[in-house]
Amino acid sequence: MGTYFNPSNGGFRKSACDEIYIDKSGLLNILNKKLGAERNCISVSHARRFGKSQAARMIDAYYSKGCDSKELFSNLKISESEDFEKHLNKYNVIHFDISSFADFYKETLVSEIIRHLYDDIKEDYPELDYSKTISTVLKQVYNKSQNTQFVIIIDEWDCVVRNFSDKPRLVHEYLQFLHSLFKSEEAHEFLALGYITGILPIKKINDESALNNFFEYTMTDSAELTAYFGFTEYEVEKLCCKYGMNMSSVKDWYNGYLINGEHMYNPNSVYMAMVRHSLESYWKNTSAFNTINTFISLDFDGLKSDIMKMLAGGLVYVDIKGFENDLSMINSKDDALTALIHLGYLGYDKDKKTAYIPNYEVKEAYQSALAKGKWSEISKSISRCEELLFSTINEDADRVAELLELSHDTYVSVLKYNDENSLSCAITMGFFTAPAYYTIIRELPSGKGFADVVMIPREDSVDKPAMIIELKWDKDADAAIRQIKEKRYTGILKGYKKEILLVGVNYDKQSKKHECVIERVTDC
């Protein structure tokens, strides 16, 4: 039993015994079908904090000869499989987290990885010839262990490609090392399963074929692996029930990643929300959110308006096919948006080929990024959002009109059009921070038409009134209030027992002035 060779099940045992553990052992059923197959290598590239490392520790515990994990898996889904014991702790396992080496070694990275592995193997096989290539040494282990094949797990495999793009010799040496593990002649005999994880899909590198035999699972297409990374909606519902959390609020905070038709939640954030019983932005405290600014500040035509459209709740078409899976090679608006998708800072609808801001947690991350970035006018406008919300709740119509005017002036220059849709976007951006308290719906069918904006308090914000906002163009705000009443937009809130604010907003195109009228009602 070693650190890198035939590791123990300690890492996974700690996860499985945690206060919150979601059984993802069904993943092993899929991996078992790939053991020893012609195509037995898979690559999982998902955003940080989406459960990749925990899955890798589970794979250790299940396959490694260095431990006995029957009891650990006995109550998990994999134990129901007829092949459960056939593969349990039957393989030589190698597991490396490459990022832990990249932090300490630069030019000697590959040699240090091999040295650490050999130190482990020598404890069991001191007689081997360690002057040979790594593939030859692993073949010797295979022979000495009665033809026991290897399961090789490389976590954060892509950190070398991402972080050392200025060191092509090192990248080449590293890829040759991976070739020895996964594609050499010896590997065809000793390798039962190759499993690598990373943030980005595999980069297409000229004249390098180390990883072209991998099945890829990404943030845009995870196929049959989707449910095993992140938390599914059903899993989150069960946690909300157990911990007394409001599912609707949790959904708005952490849902939004639509992958192969499955709604996925950031597991780290859901975990923290349940344990602390508090809805907050947990991901931004563990991720490099200045990455957002790196990409949204690029001067590609249309990028800024697309980002603003998504921040206002819209969808944006993205061509993801041209992205070279390299953060140092962003050559277009589509490249920048695709990078943000793979990093988890945008959601992606594969069927519609559109990107969007997935949830309020990520929206807050953009707010933090903008506060430190180049878009000072946007950041300044967002900083006024809380005042706008509470001015509306307090029925200060004149101040609401002033703040909406400032918001509209900011965003119309970005969005490059001057019409009712621009006003609607400005309204949504003006209430940028309101999703912390409200579910916001635009163009909601109600009564005899569509209410422009409806804001419904979350169950944990019941002290706040609901709002129906109607927008007018070159008319007057009173006309907006009349339309709400005449078309019975309040019908959407039928049965709502608390107060409702009717908010009428008019924009005068000539004067560019905004007018607001607010009326409080209690009878729907």
Side-chain angles (χ1 to χ4, degrees):
M1 181 175 69
T3 303
Y4 310 104
F5 175 64
N6 287 337
S8 72
N9 57 22
F12 180 62
R13 183 178 293 277
K14 185 177 180 180
S15 298
C17 295
D18 197 275
E19 177 181 351
I20 294 177
Y21 172 68
I22 302 295
D23 182 1
K24 300 289 185 178
S25 65
L27 171 65
L28 297 167
N29 281 319
I30 297 173
L31 299 184
N32 283 343
K33 294 175 183 177
K34 297 184 182 296
L35 287 166
E38 181 68 23
R39 297 290 298 276
N40 61 347
C41 295
I42 71 172
S43 167
V44 177
S45 57
H46 276 59
R48 288 187 176 94
R49 303 294 178 175
F50 263 75
K52 300 188 301 293
S53 294
Q54 185 179 102
R57 291 191 292 270
M58 178 181 69
I59 296 168
D60 280 352
Y62 181 68
Y63 291 116
S64 174
K65 289 178 61 181
C67 53
D68 180 354
S69 300
K70 185 174 181 179
E71 172 269 332
L72 183 56
F73 285 98
S74 61
N75 294 318
L76 300 183
K77 190 171 183 63
I78 183 61
S79 67
E80 301 169 7
S81 169
E82 62 181 24
D83 291 333
F84 170 52
E85 293 194 42
K86 176 181 177 181
H87 301 294
L88 180 65
N89 303 131
K90 297 293 198 317
Y91 294 85
N92 286 315
V93 169
I94 293 173
H95 182 173
F96 280 107
D97 178 351
I98 300 300
S99 64
S100 64
F101 283 86
D103 289 340
F104 294 100
Y105 306 107
K106 303 300 186 228
E107 299 298 335
T108 60
L109 175 70
V110 173
S111 62
E112 286 296 329
I113 292 173
I114 294 174
R115 181 178 69 81
H116 281 75
L117 177 60
Y118 283 0
D119 286 347
D120 266 8
I121 296 176
K122 285 175 184 177
E123 293 185 15
D124 292 328
Y125 301 99
E127 72 279 12
L128 301 183
D129 183 355
Y130 290 95
S131 66
K132 303 291 186 179
T133 64
I134 186 169
S135 58
T136 302
V137 170
L138 296 186
K139 178 67 184 310
Q140 292 179 74
V141 174
Y142 169 74
N143 292 334
K144 288 282 187 179
S145 59
Q146 289 78 50
N147 295 348
T148 300
Q149 289 186 300
F150 280 84
V151 172
I152 300 179
I153 305 154
I154 306 292
D155 207 5
E156 297 285 351
W157 84 270
D158 63 333
C159 70
V160 174
V161 178
R162 286 187 285 107
N163 298 338
F164 298 108
S165 59
D166 60 335
K167 297 181 182 296
R169 186 196 61 79
L170 174 60
V171 172
H172 174 75
E173 183 183 9
Y174 175 65
L175 291 173
Q176 289 300 108
F177 163 71
L178 296 180
H179 184 278
S180 297
L181 298 181
F182 301 119
K183 283 204 70 181
S184 64
E185 284 301 316
E186 295 90 343
H188 284 293
E189 190 169 356
F190 68 65
L191 183 66
L193 177 71
Y195 181 92
I196 65 174
T197 77
I199 297 174
L200 295 178
I202 294 172
K203 177 176 169 54
K204 287 72 177 173
I205 302 176
N206 293 336
D207 301 323
E208 297 283 3
S209 60
L211 302 174
N212 64 3
N213 59 327
F214 276 74
F215 282 103
E216 289 199 72
Y217 300 88
T218 73
M219 289 292 285
T220 62
D221 188 354
S222 283
E224 73 273 20
L225 265 59
T226 300
Y228 301 110
F229 297 93
F231 286 171
T232 66
E233 193 148 336
Y234 173 72
E235 291 164 348
V236 175
E237 284 176 348
K238 289 177 65 177
L239 289 174
C240 285
C241 183
K242 178 180 178 180
Y243 286 88
M245 298 289 283
N246 179 259
M247 179 62 187
S248 176
S249 297
V250 171
K251 187 172 184 176
D252 283 336
W253 267 89
Y254 307 118
N255 184 26
Y257 298 96
L258 185 65
I259 308 176
N260 296 98
E262 187 87 61
H263 287 275
M264 301 306 299
Y265 291 66
N266 183 318
N268 179 70
S269 299
V270 172
Y271 176 99
M272 296 299 294
M274 297 298 151
V275 171
R276 295 189 176 183
H277 211 265
S278 177
L279 300 178
E280 300 176 31
S281 182
Y282 296 105
W283 197 25
K284 71 179 180 182
N285 296 324
T286 56
S287 300
F289 273 101
N290 54 347
T291 303
I292 294 176
N293 251 324
T294 299
F295 295 126
I296 67 176
S297 300
L298 295 172
D299 192 25
F300 295 123
D301 186 44
L303 177 60
K304 192 172 186 178
S305 62
D306 277 359
I307 293 292
M308 296 313 307
K309 184 177 180 180
M310 289 186 287
L311 288 173
L315 303 173
V316 169
Y317 171 80
V318 183
D319 181 358
I320 65 173
K321 297 188 296 295
F323 183 50
E324 296 188 33
N325 304 333
D326 187 335
L327 299 182
S328 67
M329 299 182 67
I330 305 297
N331 300 310
S332 68
K333 177 186 74 171
D334 286 324
D335 283 353
L337 297 178
T338 304
L340 291 170
I341 291 168
H342 287 297
L343 292 168
Y345 304 142
L346 290 177
Y348 181 72
D349 187 322
K350 182 181 177 182
D351 294 331
K352 297 179 181 178
K353 294 180 172 41
T354 53
Y356 54 89
I357 305 293
N359 53 50
Y360 186 63
E361 180 182 42
V362 175
K363 197 172 184 181
E364 272 206 344
Y366 278 86
Q367 181 182 356
S368 299
L370 289 167
K372 300 175 183 177
K374 297 179 180 178
W375 297 1
S376 58
E377 77 282 14
I378 305 295
S379 176
K380 187 175 181 180
S381 179
I382 290 175
S383 70
R384 296 189 289 259
C385 291
E386 288 284 293
E387 183 184 359
L388 173 60
L389 175 63
F390 287 97
S391 294
T392 308
I393 292 173
N394 295 329
E395 300 178 69
D396 187 350
D398 290 340
R399 183 56 179 161
V400 170
E402 291 175 15
L403 291 169
L404 287 177
E405 193 167 304
L406 290 170
S407 176
H408 198 179
D409 287 346
T410 298
Y411 299 118
V412 74
S413 62
V414 176
L415 298 169
K416 299 179 181 178
Y417 51 78
N418 192 32
D419 55 21
E420 192 167 349
N421 198 25
S422 170
L423 178 58
S424 178
C425 178
I427 291 282
T428 305
M429 288 301 299
F431 288 101
F432 188 86
T433 60
Y437 317 100
Y438 287 88
T439 296
I440 302 176
I441 308 170
R442 290 174 62 180
E443 296 296 326
L444 183 65
S446 178
K448 299 179 181 180
F450 292 81
D452 285 334
V453 181
V454 176
M455 296 172 57
I456 304 172
R458 305 186 185 285
E459 290 185 20
D460 46 8
S461 298
V462 293
D463 58 321
K464 295 176 175 58
M467 300 185 201
I468 298 176
I469 304 174
E470 185 63 25
L471 312 176
K472 287 296 176 186
W473 182 269
D474 284 339
K475 293 184 181 177
D476 61 70
D478 286 322
I481 297 292
R482 286 196 300 273
Q483 181 169 321
I484 293 173
K485 294 178 178 179
E486 290 170 1
K487 295 196 174 183
R488 300 175 185 173
Y489 291 162
T490 54
I492 194 63
L493 298 173
K494 186 176 182 179
Y496 189 78
K497 302 300 183 183
K498 296 181 172 56
E499 294 180 316
I500 302 171
L501 294 182
L502 310 184
V503 182
V505 177
N506 181 64
Y507 171 61
D508 185 282
K509 183 178 179 181
Q510 295 300 318
S511 65
K512 296 187 177 180
K513 293 295 182 182
H514 294 67
E515 175 194 10
C516 178
V517 173
I518 302 175
E519 184 176 325
R520 189 177 294 261
V521 299
T522 56
D523 184 7
C524 292

